[in-house]
Amino acid sequence: MEHFDLYTVKARLAPAIITVAPAIALLVAVLDLRSFDATQLWATIGLVVVLFALSNVSREAGRRVQNRVYRDNGGWPTFDPIYYSDRTFSDEAKLRYLSFLSKQLRRPYPTMEQATSDPLGARQFYNEAATWLREATRDTTQYRIIYDENITYGYFRNLLGLKWIALMMNLAVSLTCLLILYGYIQWFNDATASLPYVLTVSVLHFVYVLFGVSDARMREASKRYARQLLLACDKLDAPETKYAAPV
Protein backbone atom coordinates (compact mmCIF):
# COMPACT_ATOMS: atom_id res chain seq x y z
CA MET A 1 0.00 0.00 0.00
CA GLU A 2 1.30 3.43 -0.89
CA HIS A 3 2.65 5.47 2.01
CA PHE A 4 0.03 8.03 3.05
CA ASP A 5 1.88 11.19 4.06
CA LEU A 6 1.62 14.96 3.78
CA TYR A 7 3.00 14.92 0.23
CA THR A 8 0.34 12.43 -0.85
CA VAL A 9 -2.42 14.55 0.67
CA LYS A 10 -1.29 17.97 -0.58
CA ALA A 11 0.45 17.16 -3.86
CA ARG A 12 -1.67 14.24 -5.10
CA LEU A 13 -5.00 14.10 -3.31
CA ALA A 14 -5.61 17.87 -3.24
CA PRO A 15 -5.31 18.21 -7.05
CA ALA A 16 -7.69 15.26 -7.38
CA ILE A 17 -10.22 16.93 -5.07
CA ILE A 18 -9.94 20.22 -6.94
CA THR A 19 -10.44 18.38 -10.22
CA VAL A 20 -13.76 16.91 -9.10
CA ALA A 21 -14.87 19.81 -6.86
CA PRO A 22 -17.88 20.73 -9.04
CA ALA A 23 -18.96 17.09 -9.10
CA ILE A 24 -18.72 16.95 -5.29
CA ALA A 25 -20.84 20.10 -5.04
CA LEU A 26 -23.43 18.59 -7.38
CA LEU A 27 -23.46 15.33 -5.42
CA VAL A 28 -24.07 17.19 -2.16
CA ALA A 29 -26.87 19.18 -3.82
CA VAL A 30 -28.76 16.18 -5.19
CA LEU A 31 -28.35 13.96 -2.13
CA ASP A 32 -30.80 14.54 0.68
CA LEU A 33 -28.37 14.45 3.57
CA ARG A 34 -31.19 14.80 6.09
CA SER A 35 -32.37 11.29 5.21
CA PHE A 36 -29.02 9.63 4.78
CA ASP A 37 -29.58 6.01 3.76
CA ALA A 38 -27.67 3.14 2.17
CA THR A 39 -27.80 4.74 -1.28
CA GLN A 40 -26.13 7.92 -0.08
CA LEU A 41 -23.65 5.88 1.92
CA TRP A 42 -22.57 3.88 -1.11
CA ALA A 43 -22.39 7.06 -3.18
CA THR A 44 -20.11 8.62 -0.55
CA ILE A 45 -17.90 5.53 -0.40
CA GLY A 46 -17.74 5.51 -4.18
CA LEU A 47 -16.66 9.15 -4.20
CA VAL A 48 -13.86 8.43 -1.72
CA VAL A 49 -12.65 5.52 -3.86
CA VAL A 50 -12.76 7.71 -6.96
CA LEU A 51 -10.75 10.41 -5.19
CA PHE A 52 -8.01 7.99 -4.18
CA ALA A 53 -7.93 6.49 -7.66
CA LEU A 54 -7.74 9.97 -9.13
CA SER A 55 -4.84 10.81 -6.80
CA ASN A 56 -2.85 8.09 -8.59
CA VAL A 57 -4.00 9.48 -11.93
CA SER A 58 -2.84 12.86 -10.64
CA ARG A 59 0.65 11.52 -9.99
CA GLU A 60 0.92 9.91 -13.41
CA ALA A 61 -0.46 12.99 -15.16
CA GLY A 62 2.05 15.13 -13.28
CA ARG A 63 4.89 12.88 -14.34
CA ARG A 64 3.85 13.24 -17.96
CA VAL A 65 3.91 17.01 -17.56
CA GLN A 66 7.35 16.83 -15.95
CA ASN A 67 8.65 14.57 -18.72
CA ARG A 68 7.37 17.03 -21.32
CA VAL A 69 9.05 19.93 -19.55
CA TYR A 70 12.20 17.82 -19.18
CA ARG A 71 12.28 17.25 -22.94
CA ASP A 72 11.57 20.91 -23.72
CA ASN A 73 14.03 22.16 -21.13
CA GLY A 74 16.75 19.59 -21.74
CA GLY A 75 16.86 18.75 -18.05
CA TRP A 76 15.06 18.87 -14.73
CA PRO A 77 12.85 21.96 -14.54
CA THR A 78 13.79 22.20 -10.86
CA PHE A 79 17.43 23.16 -11.39
CA ASP A 80 17.49 26.24 -13.60
CA PRO A 81 18.96 28.61 -10.93
CA ILE A 82 22.36 26.92 -11.17
CA TYR A 83 22.78 27.95 -14.82
CA TYR A 84 25.22 30.76 -15.43
CA SER A 85 22.55 32.76 -17.26
CA ASP A 86 20.16 32.66 -14.29
CA ARG A 87 20.37 35.54 -11.80
CA THR A 88 18.68 33.89 -8.81
CA PHE A 89 22.09 33.57 -7.11
CA SER A 90 25.24 35.63 -7.35
CA ASP A 91 28.13 34.28 -9.40
CA GLU A 92 30.09 33.68 -6.20
CA ALA A 93 27.29 31.61 -4.67
CA LYS A 94 26.84 29.58 -7.85
CA LEU A 95 30.54 28.80 -8.01
CA ARG A 96 30.44 27.71 -4.37
CA TYR A 97 27.51 25.39 -5.04
CA LEU A 98 29.07 24.04 -8.23
CA SER A 99 32.33 23.35 -6.44
CA PHE A 100 30.53 21.47 -3.67
CA LEU A 101 28.44 19.44 -6.11
CA SER A 102 31.51 18.70 -8.18
CA LYS A 103 33.16 17.11 -5.16
CA GLN A 104 30.09 14.99 -4.45
CA LEU A 105 29.79 13.79 -8.04
CA ARG A 106 33.57 13.34 -8.35
CA ARG A 107 33.68 15.15 -11.66
CA PRO A 108 34.52 18.73 -12.64
CA TYR A 109 31.70 21.19 -13.03
CA PRO A 110 31.28 22.94 -16.40
CA THR A 111 32.81 26.38 -16.67
CA MET A 112 30.86 29.17 -18.32
CA GLU A 113 32.80 28.62 -21.55
CA GLN A 114 32.15 24.87 -21.48
CA ALA A 115 28.47 25.39 -20.71
CA THR A 116 28.25 27.67 -23.74
CA SER A 117 30.18 25.42 -26.12
CA ASP A 118 28.74 22.13 -24.84
CA PRO A 119 25.30 22.81 -23.34
CA LEU A 120 24.32 19.14 -23.44
CA GLY A 121 27.36 18.15 -21.42
CA ALA A 122 26.61 20.90 -18.92
CA ARG A 123 23.00 19.74 -18.69
CA GLN A 124 24.16 16.25 -17.83
CA PHE A 125 26.16 17.58 -14.90
CA TYR A 126 23.25 19.73 -13.71
CA ASN A 127 20.82 16.81 -13.95
CA GLU A 128 23.12 14.53 -11.97
CA ALA A 129 23.63 17.27 -9.39
CA ALA A 130 19.87 17.78 -9.06
CA THR A 131 19.35 14.06 -8.52
CA TRP A 132 22.11 13.94 -5.91
CA LEU A 133 20.71 16.93 -4.03
CA ARG A 134 17.20 15.52 -3.93
CA GLU A 135 18.52 12.28 -2.46
CA ALA A 136 20.71 14.13 0.03
CA THR A 137 17.80 16.19 1.36
CA ARG A 138 15.22 13.43 1.85
CA ASP A 139 15.15 14.02 5.61
CA THR A 140 12.01 16.13 5.94
CA THR A 141 12.79 17.15 9.52
CA GLN A 142 16.16 18.67 8.63
CA TYR A 143 15.05 20.10 5.30
CA ARG A 144 11.46 21.08 6.01
CA ILE A 145 11.45 24.12 3.72
CA ILE A 146 12.66 21.99 0.81
CA TYR A 147 9.93 19.47 1.57
CA ASP A 148 7.27 22.18 1.62
CA GLU A 149 8.48 23.66 -1.66
CA ASN A 150 8.55 20.18 -3.19
CA ILE A 151 4.92 19.71 -2.14
CA THR A 152 3.98 23.02 -3.75
CA TYR A 153 5.80 22.07 -6.93
CA GLY A 154 4.14 18.64 -6.94
CA TYR A 155 0.74 20.23 -6.39
CA PHE A 156 1.01 22.55 -9.38
CA ARG A 157 2.64 19.89 -11.55
CA ASN A 158 -0.06 17.31 -10.84
CA LEU A 159 -2.90 19.80 -11.12
CA LEU A 160 -1.51 20.93 -14.46
CA GLY A 161 -1.60 17.31 -15.57
CA LEU A 162 -5.29 17.14 -14.62
CA LYS A 163 -6.20 20.55 -16.04
CA TRP A 164 -8.19 19.41 -19.05
CA ILE A 165 -9.94 16.65 -17.10
CA ALA A 166 -10.97 19.29 -14.55
CA LEU A 167 -12.29 21.63 -17.24
CA MET A 168 -14.24 18.87 -18.98
CA MET A 169 -15.76 17.73 -15.69
CA ASN A 170 -16.64 21.33 -14.89
CA LEU A 171 -18.49 21.73 -18.17
CA ALA A 172 -20.30 18.41 -17.66
CA VAL A 173 -21.47 19.45 -14.18
CA SER A 174 -22.55 22.90 -15.39
CA LEU A 175 -24.52 21.35 -18.25
CA THR A 176 -26.17 18.88 -15.86
CA CYS A 177 -27.20 21.72 -13.54
CA LEU A 178 -28.72 23.69 -16.41
CA LEU A 179 -30.60 20.64 -17.69
CA ILE A 180 -32.08 20.08 -14.23
CA LEU A 181 -32.95 23.75 -13.74
CA TYR A 182 -34.72 23.97 -17.11
CA GLY A 183 -36.62 20.74 -16.55
CA TYR A 184 -34.87 18.51 -19.05
CA ILE A 185 -33.86 16.16 -16.23
CA GLN A 186 -36.70 15.35 -13.83
CA TRP A 187 -34.91 13.11 -11.34
CA PHE A 188 -33.50 15.78 -9.04
CA ASN A 189 -36.20 18.45 -8.92
CA ASP A 190 -35.82 18.73 -5.14
CA ALA A 191 -32.26 19.95 -5.63
CA THR A 192 -33.11 22.94 -7.83
CA ALA A 193 -32.78 25.41 -4.94
CA SER A 194 -29.15 24.36 -4.40
CA LEU A 195 -28.08 24.24 -8.03
CA PRO A 196 -27.31 27.99 -8.37
CA TYR A 197 -24.69 27.48 -5.65
CA VAL A 198 -23.27 24.55 -7.58
CA LEU A 199 -23.06 26.73 -10.69
CA THR A 200 -21.26 29.39 -8.65
CA VAL A 201 -18.72 26.79 -7.51
CA SER A 202 -18.33 25.68 -11.13
CA VAL A 203 -17.67 29.22 -12.37
CA LEU A 204 -15.05 29.88 -9.68
CA HIS A 205 -13.52 26.46 -10.33
CA PHE A 206 -13.39 27.09 -14.08
CA VAL A 207 -11.68 30.47 -13.65
CA TYR A 208 -9.10 29.08 -11.21
CA VAL A 209 -8.23 26.03 -13.30
CA LEU A 210 -8.16 27.91 -16.60
CA PHE A 211 -6.07 30.86 -15.46
CA GLY A 212 -4.42 29.73 -12.21
CA VAL A 213 -3.04 26.41 -13.41
CA SER A 214 -0.34 26.84 -16.04
CA ASP A 215 3.18 25.98 -17.10
CA ALA A 216 4.31 29.35 -15.79
CA ARG A 217 2.89 28.68 -12.32
CA MET A 218 4.51 25.24 -12.23
CA ARG A 219 7.86 26.63 -13.38
CA GLU A 220 7.74 29.33 -10.71
CA ALA A 221 7.10 26.67 -8.07
CA SER A 222 9.94 24.57 -9.45
CA LYS A 223 12.28 27.55 -9.30
CA ARG A 224 11.48 28.14 -5.63
CA TYR A 225 12.08 24.44 -4.98
CA ALA A 226 15.40 24.60 -6.83
CA ARG A 227 16.47 27.65 -4.85
CA GLN A 228 15.93 25.83 -1.57
CA LEU A 229 17.74 22.74 -2.88
CA LEU A 230 20.79 24.78 -3.78
CA LEU A 231 20.75 26.66 -0.49
CA ALA A 232 21.06 23.26 1.19
CA CYS A 233 24.56 22.92 -0.27
CA ASP A 234 25.91 25.17 2.48
CA LYS A 235 24.32 23.02 5.17
CA LEU A 236 25.42 19.78 3.52
CA ASP A 237 28.96 21.13 3.25
CA ALA A 238 29.11 21.77 6.99
CA PRO A 239 31.28 19.20 8.84
CA GLU A 240 28.45 18.07 11.12
CA THR A 241 26.08 17.31 8.22
CA LYS A 242 28.34 15.63 5.70
CA TYR A 243 26.34 13.42 3.38
CA ALA A 244 27.96 10.37 1.85
CA ALA A 245 27.57 10.43 -1.90
CA PRO A 246 26.11 7.24 -3.38
CA VAL A 247 28.58 5.14 -5.33
Side-chain angles (χ1 to χ4, degrees), residues 2 28 59 72 78 82 99 115 119 149 154 175 195 206 238:
E2 187 176 343
V28 171
R59 177 182 60 181
D72 295 343
T78 53
I82 199 63
S99 178
E149 292 294 354
L175 179 61
L195 293 183
F206 188 86

Side-chain angles (χ1 to χ4, degrees), residues 1-5 7-20 47-64 154-155 157-159 161-162 165:
M1 184 176 179
E2 187 176 343
H3 184 51
F4 194 78
D5 56 10
Y7 184 91
T8 301
V9 173
K10 290 188 173 182
R12 295 176 185 166
L13 189 57
I17 292 173
I18 290 174
T19 298
V20 299
L47 177 62
V48 172
V49 172
V50 168
L51 283 175
F52 276 96
L54 197 56
S55 71
N56 288 325
V57 175
S58 166
R59 177 182 60 181
E60 296 305 318
R63 285 178 175 175
R64 287 195 294 272
Y155 166 83
R157 183 199 67 182
N158 294 340
L159 190 54
L162 294 172
I165 295 176

Side-chain angles (χ1 to χ4, degrees), residues 22-95:
I24 294 174
L26 179 60
L27 183 64
V28 171
V30 300
L31 289 179
D32 186 0
L33 299 180
R34 292 169 299 180
S35 57
F36 201 79
D37 59 18
T39 302
Q40 284 91 336
L41 176 62
W42 282 112
T44 303
I45 293 173
L47 177 62
V48 172
V49 172
V50 168
L51 283 175
F52 276 96
L54 197 56
S55 71
N56 288 325
V57 175
S58 166
R59 177 182 60 181
E60 296 305 318
R63 285 178 175 175
R64 287 195 294 272
V65 168
Q66 181 166 284
N67 289 338
R68 172 178 60 79
V69 175
Y70 187 100
R71 290 193 303 270
D72 295 343
N73 204 49
W76 291 106
T78 53
F79 220 55
D80 289 354
I82 199 63
Y83 299 159
Y84 289 105
S85 58
D86 191 278
R87 305 315 303 167
T88 301
F89 295 105
S90 66
D91 292 337
E92 292 77 9
K94 273 190 278 193
L95 289 175

Side-chain angles (χ1 to χ4, degrees), residues 213-227:
V213 181
S214 63
D215 271 27
R217 186 65 63 87
M218 184 199 69
R219 288 178 185 274
E220 181 59 32
S222 76
K223 192 169 185 177
R224 292 196 302 269
Y225 174 40
R227 181 178 181 276

Side-chain angles (χ1 to χ4, degrees), residues 26 143 174 199 223 245:
L26 179 60
Y143 303 99
S174 299
L199 285 171
K223 192 169 185 177

Side-chain angles (χ1 to χ4, degrees), residues 106-160:
R106 301 184 178 93
R107 55 177 294 192
Y109 64 83
T111 64
M112 184 180 295
E113 292 76 15
Q114 290 169 335
T116 302
S117 62
D118 183 17
L120 292 180
R123 290 276 189 184
Q124 184 178 3
F125 177 89
Y126 300 147
N127 292 338
E128 290 178 13
T131 300
W132 186 91
L133 263 180
R134 282 194 298 273
E135 292 301 320
T137 55
R138 290 288 185 188
D139 189 333
T140 59
T141 56
Q142 288 194 56
Y143 303 99
R144 184 69 192 190
I145 296 178
I146 294 176
Y147 183 56
D148 290 341
E149 292 294 354
N150 187 29
I151 288 175
T152 302
Y153 167 65
Y155 166 83
F156 281 109
R157 183 199 67 182
N158 294 340
L159 190 54
L160 181 61

